[in-house]
């Protein structure tokens, strides 16, 4: 992958062409977003604008076809890349991405054409069991349309934000490999939320719940989750443990909800305890 990044950075025409071609191929939009992120991180948004536009053209075409995920991912990667380049703090980049993602959820960007009611109608027609379940929810006074909007928008928002973070991490890894070997590993392993940033996320989550802004309430916790993942990476790195432990960790993270809660709790405590600094002293 690093050889691809090296070829892309030979000049803006190479990067723009690569981003456009990757964006046209189904399921390769993440590569297009990562290329745009790499140029943004290295040269700034103004210089990277031709590459961003080149990536945005196929992403916009997919949006017209009914798939908003490529365009949303590109926008989030670009925003977080600009913040990371200017502020040099992953935590601030993640918070900005969460706010932008929450705005997308609230605006209904991730809802299918026709809204959630069209999705419910299709679900009812395809499965008698689903129809009975929806009728039962309606009898209980639950708005199925609002529930579907929350689920579809919230889940899509989380997936797109995590995907955008992964694309930005790939771009940062490329940048590190080309210009500062080992820099990304050190940067990510040291990622930790400052107390004021944690308070900001808590306030945003509470406001989202009180003001009926589900996008904000759901996505406000993503930076804390990423900080927890960085904590695990940092501890494994400090201990010199084998990569198999990371594989086990990610399998548990993806397949079990308790692991996610534990990671969130560890990240919260780490904001005040700074486990990695304490561990480094004892190594």
């Amino acid at each position: 992958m690093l050889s691809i990044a090296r070829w892309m950075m030979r000049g803006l025409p190479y990067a723009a062409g690569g981003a456009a071609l990757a964006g046209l191929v189904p399921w390769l939009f993440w590569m297009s977003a990562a290329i745009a992120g790499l140029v943004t991180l290295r040269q700034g948004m103004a210089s990277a604008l031709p590459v961003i536009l080149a990536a945005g053209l196929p992403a916009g075409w997919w949006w017209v076809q009914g798939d908003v995920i490529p365009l949303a991912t590109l926008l989030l990667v670009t925003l977080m890349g600009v913040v990371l380049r200017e502020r040099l703090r992953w935590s601030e980049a993640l918070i900005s991405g969460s706010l932008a993602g929450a705005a997308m959820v609230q605006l209904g960007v991730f809802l299918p054409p026709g809204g959630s009611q069209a999705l419910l109608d299709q679900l009812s027609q395809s499965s008698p069991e689903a129809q009975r379940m929806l009728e039962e929810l309606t009898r209980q006074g639950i708005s199925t349309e609002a529930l579907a909007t929350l689920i579809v928008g919230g889940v899509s928002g989380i997936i797109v934000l995590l995907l955008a973070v992964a694309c930005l991490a790939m771009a940062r890894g490329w940048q590190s490999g080309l210009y500062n070997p080992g820099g990304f590993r050190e940067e990510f392993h040291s990622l930790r939320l400052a107390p004021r940033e944690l308070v900001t996320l808590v306030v945003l989550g509470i406001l989202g719940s009180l003001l009926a802004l589900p996008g904000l309430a759901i996505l406000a916790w993503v930076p804390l989750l990423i900080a927890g993942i960085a904590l695990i990476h940092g501890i494994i790195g400090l201990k010199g443990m084998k990569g198999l432990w990371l594989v086990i960790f990610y399998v548990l993270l993806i397949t079990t909800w308790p692991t996610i809660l534990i990671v969130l709790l560890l990240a919260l405590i780490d904001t005040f305890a700074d486990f990695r600094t304490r561990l480094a002293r004892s190594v």
Side-chain angles (χ1 to χ4, degrees):
M1 296 293 283
L2 191 59
S3 59
I4 296 177
R6 184 176 291 108
W7 187 83
M8 295 294 175
M9 293 305 291
R10 292 175 63 182
L12 286 180
Y14 293 89
L21 288 175
L24 286 173
V25 179
W27 302 107
L28 270 185
F29 65 88
W30 53 269
M31 176 71 77
S32 178
I35 293 170
L38 170 62
V39 181
T40 300
L41 287 170
R42 181 62 181 172
Q43 301 183 6
M45 184 174 178
S47 298
L49 194 57
V51 181
I52 297 171
L53 291 176
L57 289 176
W61 183 81
W62 285 116
W63 178 33
V64 173
Q65 301 301 310
D67 185 3
V68 71
I69 290 178
L71 183 58
T73 302
L74 174 64
L75 293 176
L76 290 177
V77 170
T78 302
L79 171 64
M80 291 190 292
V82 170
V83 175
L84 181 57
R85 172 182 166 84
E86 295 297 327
R87 303 291 298 173
L88 298 177
R89 285 187 58 82
W90 267 94
S91 53
E92 294 184 12
L94 293 171
I95 291 173
S96 66
S98 295
L99 290 173
M104 291 180 182
V105 173
Q106 292 303 137
L107 293 173
V109 168
F110 301 114
L111 293 179
S116 57
Q117 187 57 52
L119 182 64
L120 290 173
D121 294 340
Q122 186 178 10
L123 184 63
S124 299
Q125 295 171 5
S126 62
S127 172
E129 291 79 6
Q131 184 176 5
R132 286 194 294 269
M133 181 187 68
L134 293 173
E135 291 174 351
E136 179 62 27
L137 290 173
T138 302
R139 282 195 294 270
Q140 295 176 7
I142 299 175
S143 172
T144 55
E145 184 174 2
L147 181 62
T149 299
L150 173 61
I151 294 174
V152 174
V155 172
S156 299
I158 291 176
I159 292 173
V160 170
L161 180 56
L162 291 176
L163 182 59
V165 172
C167 290
L168 183 63
M170 179 182 294
R172 194 63 157 177
W174 285 344
Q175 183 187 26
S176 172
L178 292 174
Y179 308 107
N180 182 28
F184 172 64
R185 183 178 187 273
E186 180 181 352
E187 181 182 59
F188 187 69
H189 283 194
S190 63
L191 169 59
R192 182 173 68 94
L193 295 181
R196 68 179 184 279
E197 294 167 340
L198 178 61
V199 171
T200 299
L201 292 175
V202 171
V203 171
L204 290 174
I206 293 174
L207 287 176
S209 300
L210 294 178
L211 301 178
L213 300 173
L216 191 59
I218 294 172
L219 298 187
W221 304 106
V222 171
L224 189 63
L225 176 64
I226 303 301
I229 292 173
L231 171 62
I232 301 301
H233 274 259
I235 291 175
I236 291 177
L238 285 172
K239 286 291 187 178
M241 300 165 69
K242 295 182 179 180
L244 178 61
W245 288 101
L246 279 177
V247 175
I248 295 173
F249 165 68
Y250 277 107
V251 169
L252 291 174
L253 185 70
I254 294 171
T255 59
T256 61
W257 280 103
T259 302
I260 296 177
L261 297 178
I262 292 171
V263 170
L264 289 171
L265 180 60
L266 286 174
L268 189 150
I269 298 173
D270 184 55
T271 296
F272 305 99
D274 196 356
F275 294 128
R276 280 156 291 190
T277 299
R278 295 172 183 266
L279 185 61
R281 293 171 183 167
S282 62
V283 173

